[in-house]
Amino acid sequence: MPVEIDFDKMMGLAPAIVQDAATGEVLMLGFMNRAAYDKTLATGYVTFYSRTRNELWTKGESSGHFLLLKSIATDCDTDALLVLAEQTSPGVCHEGYESCFFRTWQDGDWVVTDQPVYDPNAVYGGTK
Amino acid sequence: MPVEIDFDKMMGLAPAIVQDAATGEVLMLGFMNRAAYDKTLATGYVTFYSRTRNELWTKGESSGHFLLLKSIATDCDTDALLVLAEQTSPGVCHEGYESCFFRTWQDGDWVVTDQPVYDPNAVYGGTK
């Protein structure tokens, strides 16, 4: 039986974890619909479906901080994706950090535990 | 402004990536509701909300393959979680692999690219 990604379980979407192919750092989590998934495989640029804007969104299209697809894995029930990618910039997060997961739970509060790696105002110019 | 996890964006759920705290390998992706999240922090045993069974599910409760919480991070828009955990068993996946992400896209097909690390029939006895 061929393996197919199950986009039906979550109304057309599958969560897609992005992990740095070189360092193993988890950089972000996005959602792909079938079109975003197909575009990612076809172009090699990691592409998501934006739930807030309701459109395809190639990571980096506004910032230049693209993610280049190195490989892609799926899990046992084929409803989630693990994307290994190469960064083309110092940071993935629009807030200036390498990873979007820059806050860690410590002693009852969420604490910023990463250092900024670029100036988001210079890149995004006041927009996201 | 205190940071709060946004469980509302996805009908009460937040995707939770589990990464091996020692090796950096991404082991699985589950979903937490607020009760699962609170139980994970309170007990130190990584706990999810099962979308198929509609109940809390402490990973390992049937297999003994528990995940011990080491630390937890959230992303810029606080709607996803990154759980660093210690494995208490050779493998997290109920199909006998260390990681649930054991299939990789290669040359137009999903190929099993990991080696099994335990016998799932011996652990789950024909059930999941």
Coordinates of all heavy atoms in Angstrom, one line a residue, chain A residues 61-128:
Chain A
E61 N 9.9 34.7 1.5 CA 9.5 35.6 0.4 C 9.5 37.0 0.7 O 9.7 37.9 -0.2 CB 8.1 35.1 -0.1 CG 7.0 35.3 0.8 CD 5.7 34.6 0.4 OE1 5.7 33.8 -0.6 OE2 4.6 34.9 1.0
S62 N 9.3 37.4 2.0 CA 9.4 38.8 2.3 C 10.7 39.2 3.0 O 11.2 40.3 2.8 CB 8.2 39.3 3.2 OG 8.2 38.5 4.4
S63 N 11.3 38.2 3.7 CA 12.6 38.5 4.4 C 13.8 38.1 3.7 O 14.9 38.6 4.0 CB 12.5 37.7 5.7 OG 12.5 36.3 5.5
G64 N 13.7 37.3 2.7 CA 14.9 36.7 2.0 C 15.5 35.6 2.8 O 16.5 35.0 2.4
H65 N 14.9 35.3 4.0 CA 15.4 34.2 4.8 C 14.7 32.8 4.4 O 13.9 32.3 5.1 CB 15.1 34.5 6.3 CG 15.8 35.7 6.8 ND1 15.9 36.0 8.2 CD2 16.6 36.6 6.2 CE1 16.6 37.1 8.3 NE2 17.0 37.5 7.2
F66 N 15.2 32.4 3.3 CA 14.6 31.1 2.7 C 15.1 29.9 3.5 O 16.2 29.9 4.1 CB 15.0 31.0 1.2 CG 14.3 32.0 0.4 CD1 15.1 33.1 -0.1 CD2 13.0 31.9 0.0 CE1 14.5 34.1 -0.9 CE2 12.4 32.9 -0.9 CZ 13.2 34.0 -1.3
L67 N 14.3 28.8 3.4 CA 14.7 27.5 3.9 C 14.8 26.6 2.7 O 13.8 26.4 2.0 CB 13.7 27.0 4.9 CG 13.6 27.7 6.2 CD1 12.4 27.4 7.0 CD2 14.9 27.4 7.1
L68 N 16.0 26.0 2.5 CA 16.2 25.1 1.4 C 16.0 23.7 1.8 O 16.6 23.2 2.7 CB 17.6 25.3 0.8 CG 18.0 26.7 0.5 CD1 19.4 26.7 -0.1 CD2 17.0 27.4 -0.5
L69 N 15.1 23.0 1.1 CA 14.7 21.6 1.5 C 15.9 20.7 1.2 O 16.5 20.6 0.2 CB 13.6 21.2 0.6 CG 13.1 19.7 0.8 CD1 12.5 19.5 2.1 CD2 12.1 19.3 -0.4
K70 N 16.3 19.9 2.3 CA 17.3 18.9 2.2 C 16.7 17.5 2.1 O 17.1 16.7 1.3 CB 18.3 19.0 3.3 CG 19.0 20.4 3.5 CD 19.7 20.9 2.2 CE 20.9 20.1 1.9 NZ 21.6 20.7 0.7
S71 N 15.7 17.3 3.0 CA 15.0 16.0 3.0 C 13.7 16.2 3.8 O 13.6 17.1 4.5 CB 15.8 14.9 3.5 OG 16.0 15.0 4.9
I72 N 12.8 15.2 3.6 CA 11.5 15.3 4.3 C 11.1 13.9 4.7 O 11.3 13.0 4.0 CB 10.5 16.0 3.4 CG1 9.2 16.3 4.1 CG2 10.2 15.2 2.1 CD1 8.3 17.4 3.4
A73 N 10.7 13.9 6.0 CA 10.2 12.6 6.6 C 8.8 12.7 7.0 O 8.3 13.8 7.2 CB 11.1 12.2 7.7
T74 N 8.1 11.6 7.1 CA 6.8 11.6 7.7 C 6.7 10.6 8.8 O 7.6 9.7 9.0 CB 5.7 11.4 6.7 OG1 4.4 11.6 7.3 CG2 5.7 10.0 6.1
D75 N 5.7 10.7 9.7 CA 5.6 9.9 10.9 C 4.7 8.6 10.6 O 4.2 8.4 9.5 CB 5.2 10.7 12.1 CG 3.8 11.2 12.0 OD1 3.2 11.1 10.9 OD2 3.3 11.7 13.0
C76 N 4.6 7.8 11.7 CA 4.0 6.5 11.5 C 2.6 6.6 11.0 O 2.2 5.8 10.2 CB 4.0 5.8 12.9 SG 3.6 6.8 14.3
D77 N 1.8 7.6 11.4 CA 0.4 7.7 10.9 C 0.3 8.8 9.8 O -0.8 9.2 9.4 CB -0.6 7.9 12.0 CG -0.2 9.0 13.0 OD1 0.9 9.6 12.8 OD2 -0.9 9.2 14.0
T78 N 1.4 9.2 9.3 CA 1.6 10.0 8.0 C 0.7 11.3 8.1 O 0.2 11.7 7.1 CB 1.2 9.2 6.7 OG1 -0.1 8.9 6.7 CG2 2.1 8.0 6.6
D79 N 0.6 11.8 9.3 CA -0.2 13.1 9.4 C 0.7 14.2 9.9 O 0.2 15.3 10.2 CB -1.4 12.9 10.3 CG -1.1 12.5 11.7 OD1 0.1 12.4 12.0 OD2 -2.0 12.3 12.5
A80 N 2.0 14.1 9.9 CA 2.9 15.1 10.3 C 4.2 15.0 9.4 O 4.5 13.9 9.0 CB 3.3 15.1 11.8
L81 N 4.9 16.1 9.3 CA 6.1 16.1 8.4 C 7.3 16.6 9.2 O 7.1 17.5 10.0 CB 5.8 17.0 7.2 CG 4.7 16.5 6.2 CD1 4.2 17.7 5.3 CD2 5.2 15.3 5.4
L82 N 8.4 16.1 8.9 CA 9.7 16.6 9.5 C 10.6 17.0 8.3 O 11.0 16.2 7.6 CB 10.4 15.5 10.3 CG 11.7 15.8 10.9 CD1 11.7 17.1 11.8 CD2 12.3 14.6 11.7
V83 N 10.8 18.3 8.2 CA 11.5 18.9 7.1 C 12.9 19.2 7.6 O 13.1 20.0 8.5 CB 10.8 20.2 6.6 CG1 11.6 20.8 5.5 CG2 9.4 19.9 6.2
L84 N 13.9 18.6 6.9 CA 15.3 19.0 7.2 C 15.7 20.1 6.2 O 15.5 19.8 5.0 CB 16.2 17.8 7.2 CG 16.4 17.2 8.6 CD1 15.1 16.6 9.1 CD2 17.5 16.2 8.6
A85 N 16.2 21.2 6.6 CA 16.4 22.3 5.7 C 17.7 23.0 6.0 O 18.3 22.9 7.1 CB 15.3 23.3 5.9
E86 N 18.2 23.7 5.0 CA 19.4 24.6 5.2 C 18.9 26.0 5.2 O 18.1 26.5 4.4 CB 20.3 24.3 3.9 CG 21.6 25.1 4.0 CD 22.3 24.9 2.7 OE1 22.3 23.8 2.0 OE2 23.0 25.9 2.2
Q87 N 19.4 26.8 6.2 CA 19.1 28.2 6.3 C 19.9 29.0 5.3 O 21.1 28.7 5.1 CB 19.4 28.7 7.7 CG 18.6 28.0 8.8 CD 18.8 28.6 10.2 OE1 18.4 29.8 10.4 NE2 19.4 27.9 11.1
T88 N 19.3 30.0 4.8 CA 20.1 30.9 3.9 C 20.3 32.3 4.6 O 20.7 33.2 4.0 CB 19.3 31.2 2.6 OG1 18.1 32.0 3.0 CG2 18.9 30.0 1.9
S89 N 20.1 32.3 5.9 CA 20.2 33.5 6.7 C 20.6 33.2 8.1 O 20.5 32.0 8.5 CB 18.9 34.3 6.7 OG 17.9 33.5 7.4
P90 N 20.9 34.2 8.9 CA 21.3 33.9 10.3 C 20.1 33.4 11.1 O 20.3 32.6 12.1 CB 21.7 35.2 10.9 CG 21.8 36.2 9.8 CD 21.0 35.6 8.6
G91 N 18.8 33.8 10.8 CA 17.7 33.5 11.6 C 16.4 33.2 10.9 O 16.1 33.9 9.9
V92 N 15.6 32.3 11.4 CA 14.3 32.0 10.8 C 13.2 32.8 11.4 O 12.3 33.2 10.7 CB 14.1 30.5 11.0 CG1 12.6 30.1 10.9 CG2 14.9 29.6 10.1
C93 N 13.3 33.2 12.7 CA 12.2 33.8 13.3 C 12.1 35.3 13.0 O 13.1 36.0 13.0 CB 12.4 33.6 14.9 SG 11.0 34.4 15.8
H94 N 10.9 35.7 12.7 CA 10.7 37.1 12.4 C 11.0 38.1 13.5 O 11.0 39.3 13.3 CB 9.3 37.4 11.8 CG 8.2 37.3 12.9 ND1 7.7 36.1 13.4 CD2 7.6 38.3 13.6 CE1 6.8 36.4 14.3 NE2 6.7 37.7 14.5
E95 N 11.2 37.5 14.7 CA 11.5 38.4 15.9 C 13.1 38.5 16.1 O 13.5 39.1 17.1 CB 10.9 37.9 17.1 CG 9.3 38.0 17.1 CD 8.6 37.9 18.4 OE1 9.3 38.3 19.4 OE2 7.5 37.5 18.4
G96 N 13.9 38.0 15.2 CA 15.3 38.2 15.2 C 16.1 37.1 15.8 O 17.3 37.2 15.9
Y97 N 15.5 35.9 16.0 CA 16.2 34.8 16.6 C 16.4 33.7 15.5 O 15.7 33.7 14.5 CB 15.3 34.2 17.8 CG 15.1 35.2 18.9 CD1 14.0 36.0 18.9 CD2 16.1 35.3 19.9 CE1 13.8 37.0 19.9 CE2 15.9 36.3 20.9 CZ 14.8 37.1 20.9 OH 14.6 38.0 21.9
E98 N 17.4 32.8 15.8 CA 17.6 31.8 14.8 C 16.4 30.8 14.8 O 15.9 30.5 13.7 CB 18.9 31.0 15.2 CG 19.1 29.9 14.2 CD 20.4 29.1 14.5 OE1 21.0 29.2 15.5 OE2 20.8 28.3 13.6
S99 N 15.9 30.5 15.9 CA 14.7 29.6 16.0 C 13.5 30.3 16.6 O 13.7 31.2 17.4 CB 15.1 28.4 16.9 OG 13.9 27.7 17.3
C100 N 12.3 30.0 16.1 CA 11.1 30.6 16.7 C 10.9 30.1 18.2 O 10.2 30.7 18.9 CB 9.9 30.2 15.9 SG 9.9 30.9 14.2
F101 N 11.6 29.0 18.5 CA 11.4 28.5 19.9 C 12.5 29.1 20.8 O 13.3 28.4 21.4 CB 11.5 27.0 19.9 CG 10.3 26.3 19.2 CD1 10.4 26.0 17.8 CD2 9.1 26.1 19.8 CE1 9.4 25.4 17.2 CE2 8.1 25.5 19.2 CZ 8.2 25.1 17.8
F102 N 12.4 30.4 21.0 CA 13.4 31.1 21.8 C 13.0 31.4 23.2 O 13.7 32.0 24.0 CB 13.8 32.5 21.1 CG 12.6 33.4 20.9 CD1 12.2 34.3 22.0 CD2 11.9 33.5 19.7 CE1 11.2 35.2 21.8 CE2 10.9 34.4 19.5 CZ 10.5 35.2 20.6
R103 N 11.8 30.9 23.6 CA 11.3 31.1 25.0 C 11.2 29.7 25.7 O 10.6 28.8 25.1 CB 9.9 31.7 25.1 CG 9.9 33.2 24.8 CD 8.5 33.7 25.2 NE 8.3 35.1 24.7 CZ 7.8 35.4 23.6 NH1 7.4 34.5 22.7 NH2 7.7 36.7 23.2
T104 N 11.8 29.6 26.9 CA 11.8 28.4 27.6 C 11.1 28.6 29.0 O 11.2 29.7 29.6 CB 13.3 27.9 27.9 OG1 13.9 27.8 26.6 CG2 13.3 26.5 28.5
W105 N 10.4 27.6 29.4 CA 9.7 27.6 30.7 C 10.7 27.4 31.8 O 11.4 26.4 31.9 CB 8.7 26.5 30.8 CG 7.8 26.5 32.0 CD1 7.9 25.6 33.1 CD2 6.8 27.4 32.4 NE1 7.0 26.0 34.0 CE2 6.2 27.1 33.6 CE3 6.2 28.5 31.7 CZ2 5.2 27.7 34.2 CZ3 5.2 29.2 32.3 CH2 4.7 28.8 33.6
Q106 N 10.9 28.4 32.7 CA 11.8 28.3 33.8 C 11.2 28.9 35.0 O 10.8 30.1 35.1 CB 13.1 29.1 33.4 CG 14.0 28.5 32.4 CD 15.3 29.2 32.1 OE1 15.5 30.3 32.6 NE2 16.1 28.6 31.3
D107 N 11.1 28.1 36.1 CA 10.7 28.6 37.4 C 9.4 29.3 37.3 O 9.2 30.4 37.9 CB 11.7 29.5 38.0 CG 13.1 28.7 38.2 OD1 13.0 27.5 38.5 OD2 14.1 29.4 38.0
G108 N 8.4 28.8 36.6 CA 7.1 29.4 36.6 C 6.9 30.5 35.6 O 5.8 31.2 35.7
D109 N 7.8 30.7 34.7 CA 7.6 31.8 33.7 C 8.3 31.4 32.4 O 9.2 30.6 32.3 CB 8.2 33.1 34.2 CG 7.6 34.3 33.6 OD1 6.7 34.2 32.7 OD2 8.0 35.5 33.9
W110 N 7.8 32.1 31.3 CA 8.4 31.9 30.0 C 9.6 32.9 29.9 O 9.3 34.1 29.9 CB 7.4 32.1 28.8 CG 6.5 30.9 28.8 CD1 5.2 30.9 29.2 CD2 6.7 29.6 28.3 NE1 4.6 29.7 29.0 CE2 5.5 28.9 28.4 CE3 7.8 29.0 27.7 CZ2 5.4 27.6 28.0 CZ3 7.7 27.7 27.3 CH2 6.5 27.0 27.4
V111 N 10.8 32.4 29.7 CA 12.0 33.3 29.7 C 12.6 33.2 28.3 O 12.7 32.1 27.7 CB 13.0 32.8 30.8 CG1 14.2 33.7 30.7 CG2 12.3 32.9 32.1
V112 N 13.0 34.4 27.8 CA 13.8 34.4 26.5 C 15.2 33.8 26.8 O 15.9 34.4 27.6 CB 13.9 35.8 25.9 CG1 14.8 35.8 24.7 CG2 12.5 36.3 25.5
T113 N 15.4 32.6 26.1 CA 16.7 31.9 26.5 C 17.7 31.9 25.3 O 18.7 31.3 25.4 CB 16.4 30.5 26.9 OG1 15.4 29.9 26.1 CG2 15.9 30.5 28.3
D114 N 17.3 32.5 24.2 CA 18.2 32.6 23.0 C 18.7 34.1 22.9 O 18.1 35.0 23.4 CB 17.5 32.2 21.7 CG 17.2 30.7 21.7 OD1 17.7 30.0 22.6 OD2 16.6 30.2 20.7
Q115 N 19.7 34.2 22.1 CA 20.2 35.6 21.8 C 19.8 35.9 20.4 O 19.7 35.1 19.5 CB 21.8 35.6 21.8 CG 22.4 35.2 23.1 CD 22.1 36.3 24.1 OE1 22.1 37.5 23.8 NE2 21.8 35.9 25.4
P116 N 19.4 37.2 20.2 CA 19.0 37.6 18.8 C 20.2 37.5 17.9 O 21.4 37.7 18.3 CB 18.6 39.1 19.0 CG 18.6 39.4 20.4 CD 19.3 38.3 21.1
V117 N 19.9 37.2 16.6 CA 21.0 37.0 15.7 C 21.0 38.0 14.5 O 21.9 38.0 13.7 CB 21.1 35.6 15.1 CG1 21.5 34.6 16.2 CG2 19.7 35.2 14.5
Y118 N 19.9 38.7 14.4 CA 19.8 39.8 13.4 C 18.8 40.8 13.9 O 18.0 40.6 14.8 CB 19.5 39.2 12.0 CG 18.0 38.8 11.8 CD1 17.0 39.6 11.3 CD2 17.6 37.5 12.2 CE1 15.7 39.2 11.2 CE2 16.3 37.1 12.1 CZ 15.4 38.0 11.6 OH 14.1 37.6 11.4
D119 N 18.7 42.0 13.2 CA 17.8 43.0 13.6 C 16.5 42.9 12.7 O 16.5 43.2 11.5 CB 18.5 44.4 13.3 CG 17.5 45.5 13.6 OD1 16.4 45.3 14.0 OD2 17.9 46.7 13.3
P120 N 15.4 42.5 13.3 CA 14.2 42.3 12.5 C 13.7 43.6 11.9 O 13.1 43.5 10.8 CB 13.2 41.7 13.5 CG 13.7 42.0 14.9 CD 15.2 42.1 14.7
N121 N 13.9 44.7 12.5 CA 13.4 45.9 11.9 C 14.1 46.2 10.6 O 13.5 46.8 9.6 CB 13.6 47.1 12.8 CG 12.6 47.0 14.0 OD1 11.5 46.6 13.8 ND2 13.1 47.4 15.2
A122 N 15.4 45.9 10.5 CA 16.1 46.1 9.3 C 15.7 45.2 8.1 O 15.7 45.5 7.0 CB 17.6 45.9 9.5
V123 N 15.2 44.0 8.5 CA 14.8 43.0 7.5 C 13.4 43.2 7.1 O 13.0 43.1 5.9 CB 15.0 41.6 8.1 CG1 14.4 40.5 7.1 CG2 16.5 41.3 8.2
Y124 N 12.5 43.4 8.1 CA 11.1 43.4 7.8 C 10.5 44.8 7.7 O 9.4 45.0 7.2 CB 10.3 42.6 8.9 CG 10.5 41.2 8.9 CD1 11.5 40.6 9.7 CD2 9.7 40.3 8.0 CE1 11.7 39.2 9.7 CE2 10.0 39.0 8.0 CZ 10.9 38.4 8.9 OH 11.1 37.1 8.8
G125 N 11.3 45.8 8.1 CA 11.0 47.2 7.9 C 9.6 47.6 8.5 O 8.8 48.3 8.0
G126 N 9.4 47.0 9.7 CA 8.2 47.3 10.4 C 7.0 46.5 10.1 O 6.0 46.5 10.7
T127 N 7.1 45.6 9.1 CA 6.1 44.6 8.8 C 6.6 43.3 9.1 O 7.8 43.1 9.4 CB 5.7 44.6 7.3 OG1 6.8 44.0 6.5 CG2 5.5 46.1 6.8
K128 N 5.7 42.3 9.2 CA 6.1 40.9 9.3 C 6.1 40.3 7.9 O 5.8 39.2 7.7 CB 5.2 40.2 10.2 CG 5.4 40.6 11.7 CD 4.6 39.7 12.6 CE 4.4 40.2 14.0 NZ 3.5 39.3 14.7

